[in-house]
Amino acid sequence: MPFFKMNKQLIFAGLMIAFIINHGYSQTILNKQNIENALNDAFNKFKDLKEGKNADYIKELANVDPNIFGIALVTADGAVYTKGDITSMVSIQSISKVFTMAKVIEQEGSQFLQDKIGVNATGLPFNSIVAVEMHKGDKINPLVNPGAIATTSLIRGNDSIAKWKEIQKIQSDFAGRQLSINRPVYISEASDNLRNQAIAHLLLAYNRIYFDPVQATDLYTKQCALNVNVKDLAIMAATLANGGVNPVTKNKVVSQTTVMYTLPVMATAGLYDNSGIWLFNSGLPAKSGVGGGMLAICPGKFGIAVISPPLDESGNSLKAQKVIQYVVEKLKVNPYWIEPK
Ligand code: GLN
């Protein structure tokens, strides 16, 4: 074999070894095939799981079909992958808290959010009154009800109508289409949300709500009633995964800085009092809602969402947690999975 040819082979082999050492063969490549396989496997593995129960403290949610099951993954460059039911809509519920918080960070800055609301996790259920009382309305968290109602009250606008326009717009911009209210869910919750009203009034007593408490609660209830399908949720997640630019519409929705401050709040409080366990098992910032939706962000890579209404005790979709965790493991995208050099 001529020397130069042998040399070429040696160089090629050397490069391959260097590639394997650097990238590790065990890292899954995020291509179409691997993503589709992961979604298909997750769907088949969990489709018959019957644990959990629809939320019923909002009467209308008890009537939602518990068998709705859809998965969507949208990459940071806008490729959309789906499996199962992608047409059924559920109310977004607590997932909306993320995007209203992002809007306040975008408009007023991260320090403002930290001062006016707080960003430490309460470690308590999402509708806890004790969490407010414990710190006299100080240090509430934007991803549980008290902090979320107060965050809603900070949205700019002279009156409730102007504020609602802003809220609907930011949620819709993240989704890349105009979202509208699920009326029966809104009416059902609005006629029965004395607890959230109590929270808003308690915040007022501590000077920690920044608009009329009844109207702020109503705005919050409306935002929770926005209807979404699983693809909407995945695009919302992918917009965060892509540094604030919606990868499907290509519109800049919020700045990279806003995303940088949004994701840690999701990581520490996105699944309420179950957030630690979730982060331990997935490593990803995520958010759930009692409508049965859940989304998670793999920064720089993709957003993933699942809809399945039956919930665990903390109010998080049981199937969604299992599916996302499975996909994260399968694609090896837990950010704390580190290939040694
Ligand atoms: N609208 C619901 C409530 O205030 C949202 C709760 C949730 O999704 N965890 O109770």
Side-chain angles (χ1 to χ4, degrees):
M1 189 182 284
F3 176 72
F4 75 91
K5 212 168 174 195
M6 211 172 85
N7 222 10
K8 248 191 191 168
Q9 280 174 347
L10 275 176
I11 291 169
F12 180 72
L15 283 175
M16 280 306 288
I17 291 168
F19 179 83
I20 292 167
I21 291 172
N22 269 329
H23 296 268
Y25 243 19
S26 50
Q27 206 145 50
T28 310
I29 300 158
L30 279 182
N31 60 20
K32 185 173 187 298
Q33 177 95 59
N34 288 336
I35 293 173
E36 279 174 357
N37 284 346
L39 298 194
N40 285 341
D41 291 356
F43 186 86
N44 292 328
K45 194 168 162 62
F46 298 112
K47 67 179 186 325
D48 298 321
L49 185 88
K50 291 275 181 259
E51 289 163 40
K53 204 168 140 287
N54 279 27
D56 57 6
Y57 75 97
I58 299 169
K59 300 207 172 51
E60 196 60 30
L61 296 186
N63 301 328
V64 175
D65 178 3
N67 299 313
I68 296 172
F69 181 33
I71 312 175
L73 184 155
V74 177
T75 65
D77 43 24
V80 178
Y81 299 89
T82 58
K83 180 74 191 166
D85 185 342
I86 55 163
T87 50
S88 290
M89 305 257 226
V90 295
S91 51
I92 189 168
Q93 297 299 338
S94 267
I95 303 170
S96 64
K97 292 166 178 168
V98 170
F99 308 102
T100 301
M101 170 181 76
K103 179 73 183 174
V104 170
I105 299 174
E106 182 78 1
Q107 286 190 325
E108 321 290 349
S110 60
Q111 191 61 50
F112 181 89
L113 184 84
Q114 203 173 314
D115 295 343
K116 294 277 183 184
I117 309 285
V119 291
N120 263 335
T122 65
L124 290 166
F126 63 81
N127 58 0
S128 171
I129 289 175
V130 173
V132 181
E133 193 57 16
M134 212 150 59
H135 301 289
K136 305 210 178 319
D138 219 1
K139 304 186 190 113
I140 47 177
N141 184 286
L143 298 187
V144 289
N145 294 15
I149 297 169
T151 304
T152 304
S153 80
L154 287 170
I155 290 289
R156 288 188 193 173
N158 290 334
D159 55 19
S160 196
I161 294 170
K163 283 177 191 281
W164 172 245
K165 260 197 180 151
E166 289 288 314
I167 294 170
Q168 191 173 19
K169 182 167 181 349
I170 190 69
Q171 307 280 337
S172 300
D173 286 350
F174 267 100
R177 72 175 185 94
Q178 178 77 5
L179 300 179
S180 50
I181 294 179
N182 180 325
R183 285 274 148 200
V185 169
Y186 167 63
I187 291 164
S188 168
E189 187 170 4
S191 58
D192 201 14
N193 63 352
L194 291 174
R195 189 177 178 92
N196 282 340
Q197 289 190 32
I199 288 173
H201 282 92
L202 187 57
L203 288 173
L204 181 66
Y206 289 127
N207 259 329
R208 296 289 287 179
I209 193 160
Y210 310 99
F211 187 54
D212 174 77
V214 174
Q215 291 185 61
T217 310
D218 185 57
L219 283 169
Y220 162 81
T221 310
K222 261 192 196 142
Q223 92 174 21
C224 288
L226 286 170
N227 246 349
V228 283
N229 60 39
V230 74
K231 195 176 137 193
D232 294 327
L233 290 177
I235 295 174
M236 294 172 106
T239 302
L240 289 170
N242 189 38
V245 174
N246 184 316
V248 175
T249 64
K250 312 290 180 210
N251 286 337
K252 182 181 169 189
V253 181
V254 290
S255 68
Q256 277 171 265
T257 308
T258 292
V259 173
M260 184 180 78
Y261 286 112
T262 299
L263 297 183
V265 191
M266 296 174 74
T268 49
L271 271 73
Y272 326 113
D273 44 329
N274 229 26
S275 300
I277 292 174
W278 168 258
L279 192 62
F280 182 76
N281 287 310
S282 72
L284 296 187
K287 187 74 200 85
S288 62
V290 290
M294 176 170 165
L295 50 76
I297 285 90
C298 192
K301 295 193 171 100
F302 62 77
I304 181 169
V306 177
I307 292 181
S308 167
L311 310 176
D312 67 12
E313 247 126 65
S314 300
N316 305 308
S317 166
L318 247 155
K319 233 184 243 187
Q321 292 176 78
K322 288 190 193 290
V323 165
I324 298 174
Q325 204 178 306
Y326 180 87
V327 172
V328 169
E329 266 171 38
K330 187 104 182 164
L331 296 176
K332 295 210 169 64
V333 289
N334 183 325
Y336 304 117
W337 165 267
I338 301 156
E339 294 285 348
K341 294 269 180 270

